[in-house]
Amino acid sequence: MGLNLNIYEVAASNIKKYRKKAKLTQKQLAELTDYSHEYIRRIEAPKCKNSFTIESVYVISKALGVPMYMMFETKKRVKWLILF
């Protein structure tokens, strides 16, 4: 039973959301993290295809001043199936 959820897409979307909320460009975020502008661009690209690590998410969350767990938040509701 899958959730039909791509955690990489969730994290990428949240990185972009919080970067924009901080009024930073991709280039500025790259400078804050010591990652290349190209790397940040690829992370935020639609269907990023697992192009980044959990460590990258951590470094980016620190640079944005956002708790790491918020990078994985989604608005999708999960329906639980309880079997008795």
Side-chain angles (χ1 to χ4, degrees), residues 12-65:
S13 174
N14 284 327
I15 288 168
K16 184 176 184 175
K17 176 176 81 173
Y18 290 114
R19 175 184 60 77
K20 287 186 171 197
K21 190 173 182 179
K23 297 181 178 5
L24 293 172
T25 65
Q26 290 176 340
K27 183 177 183 197
Q28 290 168 322
L29 180 56
E31 290 169 356
L32 288 173
T33 59
D34 286 330
Y35 293 137
S36 70
H37 178 220
E38 175 65 19
Y39 185 63
I40 299 296
R41 187 192 66 74
R42 275 195 333 249
I43 288 172
E44 291 186 3
K47 308 291 182 191
C48 54
K49 298 189 183 196
N50 311 350
S51 65
F52 54 95
T53 65
I54 193 86
E55 180 181 2
S56 299
V57 176
Y58 175 76
V59 169
I60 291 168
S61 73
K62 287 298 197 186
L64 293 173

Side-chain angles (χ1 to χ4, degrees), residues 3 5 7 9-11 13-14 17-18 21 69-79:
L3 295 175
L5 179 74
I7 198 66
E9 289 177 17
V10 170
S13 174
N14 284 327
K17 176 176 81 173
Y18 290 114
K21 190 173 182 179
Y69 76 87
M70 292 175 70
M71 296 298 176
F72 299 101
E73 288 187 326
T74 180
K75 291 187 176 160
K76 283 190 176 183
R77 301 285 183 223
V78 177
K79 294 180 182 177

